[in-house]
Amino acid sequence: MKKILILTLIIILIPLLIVGIDHKEEIIYKIKYGSINNKIIKVKRIDTGNIEEVPLEKYVLGVVAGEMPASFNIEALKAQAVASRTYALKKAESNKEYDVEDSTTNQVYIDDNKMKEKWKDNYDELLKKIKNAVDETKGEVLLYNNELIDAMFFSTSNGYTENSDDVFSSSLPYLVSVESNWDKTESPVFASTKEVTKKEFLFNLGLSDSNTIDVNNIERTKTGRVKNITINKKVFKGTKIRSIFGLKSTSFTINIKNDVVTFNVNGYGHGVGMSQYGANGMAKEGYNYKEILKYYYQNSDIKKIN
């Protein structure tokens, strides 16, 4: 047993001595994560239920194509590639039947056939553009304390991203609120409305025993998103209201007039991590992908581990 332990230490230490102390982190990452050049991501296809084994970089290409408009600035596409690569590898740390689903439950992944269907005559041009974004960031991931981060992202903020503990159960030092004013002019879905009748509103909330609507005690996060709201003396989470009525985000107000209940909504998505339209706005202003990532994932490091 001692011989095996000594041999293992020698195998680890010799490369450090050869490449020098300045490169020790690269060796540590390789020891910790293995080679990701040949990494396979197990993707569950929602339409069929099948689990496909997709090489990592091919998977990242399919996610960037599925998650972000190909018309976006190349630096925004690069930022998405690094975030998506990190997200997939983080999910792959769990020993499960599959690593990710191909839907918004995890990350939207599309294959080559879907890309051709989506881009039609622009297929060759847009595929090349996204492939460049993936290739130019190959092997790059986001780390915090030398651990892969949970690289969450979403479409559009309400002007600010959200603290992770205001949406999910955990407080993460790299998923903290930052201003994101680019979204207001960049995103076509920054503002939206949803109308339902009073009857629908009460029925969907399980309050059909009443004919009136009393909304009060609206608790909002520091960024203006609804955390809790009391309707007819019953408390609902903002995320529950969003889910029930199919709202684009929890940053909403409620207006009741005559027989109509109107939700006025800002932003699209959970609000945690990188805003995709915000990233594109930053890229247009000249920020590179590393600056974009460091802004939306505060306190994180970008490392190449392939």
Side-chain angles (χ1 to χ4, degrees):
M1 188 68 181
K2 280 185 178 181
K3 287 182 179 179
I4 295 172
L5 182 59
I6 290 168
L7 183 60
T8 302
L9 287 171
I10 290 171
I11 291 171
I12 292 172
L13 290 173
I14 284 178
L16 293 178
L17 293 172
I18 293 172
V19 301
I21 201 72
D22 290 341
H23 300 282
K24 67 179 181 179
E25 281 190 341
E26 293 178 21
I27 300 298
I28 290 169
Y29 297 144
K30 287 179 182 178
I31 292 167
K32 186 172 185 178
Y33 299 112
S35 171
I36 64 170
N37 285 331
N38 301 314
K39 178 69 179 177
I40 297 295
I41 300 297
K42 292 177 287 185
V43 185
K44 182 176 181 179
R45 306 309 298 268
I46 298 303
D47 287 348
T48 63
N50 295 334
I51 297 171
E52 295 180 12
E53 295 190 345
V54 185
L56 175 62
E57 297 301 322
K58 181 180 178 181
Y59 170 75
V60 173
L61 189 151
V63 173
V64 177
E67 281 283 359
M68 185 171 270
S71 59
F72 272 22
N73 187 286
I74 188 68
E75 295 301 313
L77 292 168
K78 288 179 186 178
Q80 182 68 61
V82 176
S84 294
R85 184 181 296 110
T86 305
Y87 184 94
L89 289 170
K90 182 72 173 176
K91 287 293 182 184
E93 287 182 340
S94 302
N95 187 21
K96 295 180 180 178
E97 182 185 4
Y98 59 88
D99 300 318
V100 289
E101 293 183 0
D102 64 357
S103 69
T104 53
T105 300
N106 295 136
Q107 305 186 111
V108 175
Y109 164 80
I110 61 175
D111 58 21
D112 197 58
N113 289 331
K114 286 287 184 183
M115 291 179 210
K116 288 177 179 176
E117 184 181 317
K118 182 178 181 178
W119 296 327
K120 299 181 172 60
D121 293 343
N122 297 318
Y123 168 78
D124 290 331
E125 176 191 351
L126 297 180
L127 177 64
K128 181 180 179 181
K129 182 179 180 182
I130 289 183
K131 193 173 187 306
N132 285 342
V134 174
D135 289 346
E136 288 173 27
T137 64
K138 186 176 180 180
E140 291 185 353
V141 295
L142 289 152
L143 302 172
Y144 177 78
N145 282 349
N146 289 335
E147 298 285 345
L148 291 164
I149 73 167
D150 195 351
M152 294 184 182
F153 56 88
F154 62 99
S155 168
T156 305
S157 81
N158 68 345
Y160 292 87
T161 67
E162 190 62 279
N163 293 312
S164 61
D165 56 338
D166 280 326
V167 180
F168 305 107
S169 58
S170 57
S171 175
L172 297 170
Y174 50 83
L175 293 178
V176 295
S177 177
V178 296
E179 191 172 0
S180 188
N181 277 320
W182 301 278
D183 308 55
K184 295 177 182 179
T185 53
E186 282 293 318
S187 177
V189 290
F190 175 76
S192 59
T193 59
K194 177 71 178 286
E195 292 184 349
V196 295
T197 65
K198 277 188 178 181
K199 186 176 180 180
E200 287 176 296
F201 183 83
L202 292 166
F203 176 80
N204 287 332
L205 295 178
L207 302 172
S208 296
D209 56 340
S210 175
N211 291 318
T212 60
I213 299 172
D214 180 29
V215 178
N216 54 46
N217 295 334
I218 301 175
E219 180 190 354
R220 294 184 182 272
T221 66
K222 290 180 180 179
T223 66
R225 293 173 174 86
V226 176
K227 196 166 187 178
N228 295 295
I229 184 171
T230 302
I231 303 172
N232 291 5
K233 298 182 180 180
K234 186 175 179 181
V235 179
F236 297 89
K237 287 186 175 297
T239 50
K240 185 69 174 176
I241 298 294
R242 181 193 174 198
S243 175
I244 289 173
F245 294 103
L247 307 180
K248 292 191 184 305
S249 87
T250 57
S251 181
F252 62 82
T253 59
I254 298 175
N255 182 50
I256 304 165
K257 187 175 181 180
N258 298 326
D259 190 45
V260 178
V261 178
T262 303
F263 294 95
N264 295 298
V265 188
N266 287 135
Y268 192 180
H270 51 61
V272 179
M274 183 178 73
S275 163
Q276 293 170 313
Y277 276 95
N280 196 46
M282 289 186 73
K284 284 183 176 181
E285 288 187 4
Y287 291 93
N288 65 43
Y289 76 98
K290 290 187 177 181
E291 291 171 321
I292 294 168
L293 291 168
K294 294 281 282 183
Y295 182 72
Y296 283 110
Y297 302 106
Q298 295 275 303
N299 309 306
S300 65
D301 296 310
I302 303 167
K303 299 289 183 181
K304 193 178 184 74
I305 63 171
N306 63 323

